[in-house]
């Protein structure tokens, strides 16, 4: 009984720490009085917990503001400089590894092209491993001060049964040839990460979604869809503040919803998927077909490495359209129509407050096509739901998948701050 009471007190203290830390992380700087006014905690509890958090180096005092007639109020915020997180973006054309402060400012980055795509798992693991070593060395950050590593992958992430479930996360990437790849075990086996380093693996669109919900286009909303358009197409559907995952964690595969019955073949094996029309690979392919036999904007760069050529080819198609190239104009118009239809489907299914188009290809295409996409979505969506949705581009740039991946260990750190800090202090 006494032990249970002890545990309850400890749990309560931990949850109070986590609550205040999260509040300061997302809404800081705030004063102690702000925290008292906006949480259910007493003045004494806030004072005690903040004292502990300052002692642990998690919270810092950062100046003060005057208050009416009274003493100035000292402002507090999370001290992002002492703790770190690493985010990894496994894209279809490259691996990007970035080391961040706790408040997600980039301190170091390492990028490796995947000339043959990301189908070769060994090559991907080698690049992630090299990237981890590279960013730790470049930043001179000790692993003991890294709260964890997050990895965004282009596939469905599930808990595996192998090794009695201990090797944890496996990745099913149907369009890239990954069949139950035990990525967590493979990364642990490289030996670069310390054995107890928290490691989080999630779908790249979901990590991008989390980054945009925390700091970008989705900030302040509870129901949103963040779309990731690169070579492939995915989405993070956020309902009431959390990603909707489905029973097998594969929800949000927007790219493989049908927009044309019996249409173009998709990499997933089906026909007429949205990805087969608006994914970068598909747009380039459709342009090649439309301009067949002519000197096209993209043939000139065909000889280059795959990693570079997809981005340059899409940019070349946009440039060709500006020069009045008929094939480019037609392909981009068709892309806008399919994208608009896809957006209308999201609106009708989820009634979101916000839809943001991101990913490197989404940002490139969206900068040109967004008004037309919005117009088409308005023609296909139900009027009431369309009237209340804000359709925009993502705000964190084309590399936000790595930042989003880093939010996974940061979220874990904020939720379990007391346990983790104790462990790190002991080391
Ligand atoms: Zn498909």
């Amino acid at each position: 009984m006494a032990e249970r009471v002890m545990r309850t007190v400890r749990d309560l203290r931990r949850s109070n720490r986590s609550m205040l830390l999260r509040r300061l992380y997302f809404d800081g700087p705030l004063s102690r009085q702000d925290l008292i006014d906006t949480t259910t905690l007493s003045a004494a509890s806030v004072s005690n917990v903040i004292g502990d958090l300052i002692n642990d180096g998690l919270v810092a005092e950062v100046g003060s503001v005057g208050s009416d007639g009274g003493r100035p109020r000292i402002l507090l915020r999370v001290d992002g400089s002492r703790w770190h997180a690493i985010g990894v973006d496994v894209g279809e054309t490259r691996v990007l590894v970035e080391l961040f402060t706790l408040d997600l400012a980039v301190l170091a980055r390492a990028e490796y092209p995947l000339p043959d795509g990301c189908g070769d798992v060994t090559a991907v693991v080698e690049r992630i491993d090299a990237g981890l070593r590279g960013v730790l060395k470049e930043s001179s950050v000790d692993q003991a001060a890294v709260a964890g590593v997050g990895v965004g992958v282009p596939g469905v992430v599930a808990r595996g049964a192998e090794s009695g479930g201990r090797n944890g996360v496996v990745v099913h990437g149907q369009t890239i040839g990954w069949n139950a790849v035990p990525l967590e075990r493979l990364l642990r086996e490289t030996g670069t990460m310390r054995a107890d380093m928290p490691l989080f693996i999630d779908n790249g669109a979901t990590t991008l979604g989390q980054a945009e919900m925390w700091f970008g286009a989705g900030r302040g909303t509870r129901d949103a869809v963040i779309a990731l358009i690169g070579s492939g197409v995915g989405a993070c559907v956020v309902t009431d503040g959390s990603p909707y995952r489905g029973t097998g964690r594969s929800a949000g595969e927007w790219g493989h919803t049908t927009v044309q019955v019996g249409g173009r073949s998709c990499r997933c094996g089906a026909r007429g998927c949205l990805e087969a029309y608006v994914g970068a690979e598909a747009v380039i392919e459709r342009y090649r077909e439309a301009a067949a036999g002519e000197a096209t904007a993209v043939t000139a760069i065909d000889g280059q490495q795959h990693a570079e050529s997809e981005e340059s080819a899409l940019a070349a198609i946009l440039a060709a359209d500006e020069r009045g190239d008929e094939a480019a104009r037609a392909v981009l118009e068709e892309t806008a129509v399919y994208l608009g239809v896809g957006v209308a489907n999201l609106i009708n299914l989820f009634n979101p407050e916000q839809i943001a188009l991101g990913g490197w290809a989404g940002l490139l295409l969206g900068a040109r096509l967004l008004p037309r996409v919005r117009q088409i979505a308005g023609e296909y969506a139900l009027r009431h739901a369309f009237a209340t949705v804000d359709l925009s581009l993502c705000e964190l740039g084309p590399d936000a998948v790595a930042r989003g991946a880093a939010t996974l260990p940061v979220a874990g750190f904020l939720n379990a701050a007391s346990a983790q800090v104790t462990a790190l202090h002991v080391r």
Side-chain angles (χ1 to χ4, degrees), residues 322-371:
E322 288 212 329
R323 291 195 306 270
D325 179 312
E326 276 299 310
R329 196 203 55 76
V331 164
L332 290 175
E333 164 61 13
E334 192 183 63
T335 303
V337 170
Y338 280 109
L339 208 43
V341 168
V343 166
N345 288 339
L346 290 174
I347 293 170
N348 287 351
L349 274 174
F350 299 109
N351 183 205
E353 185 182 348
Q354 178 84 41
I355 296 178
L357 304 180
W360 68 266
L363 293 173
L364 258 181
L365 291 168
R368 176 78 54 87
L369 304 179
L370 193 64

Side-chain angles (χ1 to χ4, degrees), residues 175 255-257 266-270 273 275-276:
T175 57
H256 302 287
T257 54
C266 180
R267 298 186 299 172
C268 73
C273 296
E275 179 174 305

Side-chain angles (χ1 to χ4, degrees), residues 30 65 89-90 99 163 165 177 219 231 277 311 315 320 343 346 348 380-381 418:
L30 296 168
V65 284
D89 173 11
V90 178
L99 186 142
S163 309
R219 198 176 159 93
S231 305
Y277 293 88
E311 297 192 29
V343 166
L346 290 174
N348 287 351
Y380 283 83
S418 51

Side-chain angles (χ1 to χ4, degrees), residues 45-396:
S45 294
V46 166
S47 176
N48 285 339
V49 173
I50 292 298
D52 287 350
L53 289 169
I54 290 174
N55 285 339
D56 289 339
L58 286 169
V59 166
E61 295 184 337
V62 285
S64 59
V65 284
S67 67
D68 298 337
R71 286 187 301 160
R73 290 178 178 175
I74 293 168
L75 292 176
L76 305 159
R77 68 167 174 76
V78 169
D79 183 356
S81 65
R82 190 161 162 186
W83 308 98
H84 304 85
I86 295 176
V88 179
D89 173 11
V90 178
E92 299 197 24
T93 55
R94 57 112 163 85
V95 170
L96 173 64
V97 181
E98 292 184 308
L99 186 142
F100 300 89
T101 59
L102 196 61
D103 41 9
L104 296 182
V106 184
L107 290 187
R109 82 199 297 270
E111 186 171 3
Y112 304 93
L114 291 165
D116 303 316
C118 63
D120 180 353
V121 178
T122 308
V124 169
V125 169
E126 278 170 9
R127 281 162 177 79
I128 296 174
D129 188 47
L132 291 176
R133 281 184 274 115
V135 295
L136 286 166
K137 189 168 177 217
E138 186 188 332
S139 63
S140 304
V141 165
D142 192 306
Q143 279 207 42
V146 176
V149 176
V151 184
V153 293
V156 174
V157 173
R159 199 139 282 279
E162 202 181 321
S163 309
R166 269 197 311 117
N167 80 323
V169 169
V170 297
V171 182
H172 306 279
Q174 189 173 326
T175 57
I176 55 170
W178 285 24
N179 182 22
V181 168
L183 188 61
E184 182 173 354
R185 177 167 61 73
L186 295 174
L187 287 174
R188 293 273 185 210
E189 279 173 2
T190 62
T192 297
M193 275 183 291
R194 60 167 216 262
D196 61 345
M197 176 77 83
L199 174 62
F200 301 81
I201 300 172
D202 209 334
N203 175 267
T206 307
T207 72
L208 172 78
Q210 180 136 306
E212 290 287 339
M213 292 303 286
W214 280 21
F215 303 115
R219 198 176 159 93
T221 67
R222 302 285 298 168
D223 295 283
V225 181
I226 311 295
L228 173 61
I229 306 173
S231 305
V233 175
C236 175
V237 177
V238 177
T239 63
D240 199 22
S242 303
Y244 178 74
R245 297 198 176 267
T247 185
R249 296 174 70 86
S250 76
E253 290 288 350
W254 180 50
H256 302 287
T257 54
T258 310
V259 291
Q260 180 74 63
V261 173
R264 297 176 66 87
S265 293
C266 180
R267 298 186 299 172
C268 73
R271 301 183 76 87
C273 296
L274 180 64
E275 179 174 305
Y277 293 88
V278 307
E281 193 175 303
V283 173
I284 295 163
E285 193 56 40
R286 288 194 294 112
Y287 177 69
R288 285 207 176 95
E289 290 167 14
E294 297 168 31
T296 72
V298 291
T299 39
I301 45 177
D302 270 355
Q304 286 185 23
Q305 287 191 323
H306 179 68
E308 292 169 32
S309 72
E310 233 180 44
E311 297 192 29
S312 338
L314 194 57
I317 293 169
L318 286 160
D321 172 46
E322 288 212 329
R323 291 195 306 270
D325 179 312
E326 276 299 310
R329 196 203 55 76
V331 164
L332 290 175
E333 164 61 13
E334 192 183 63
T335 303
V337 170
Y338 280 109
L339 208 43
V341 168
V343 166
N345 288 339
L346 290 174
I347 293 170
N348 287 351
L349 274 174
F350 299 109
N351 183 205
E353 185 182 348
Q354 178 84 41
I355 296 178
L357 304 180
W360 68 266
L363 293 173
L364 258 181
L365 291 168
R368 176 78 54 87
L369 304 179
L370 193 64
R372 180 68 174 141
V373 171
R374 188 180 287 119
Q375 185 184 16
I376 298 290
E379 289 171 15
Y380 283 83
L382 291 168
R383 279 193 303 278
H384 180 72
F386 179 74
T388 54
V389 72
D390 183 12
L391 175 64
S392 69
L393 298 185
C394 284
E395 293 174 3
L396 301 179

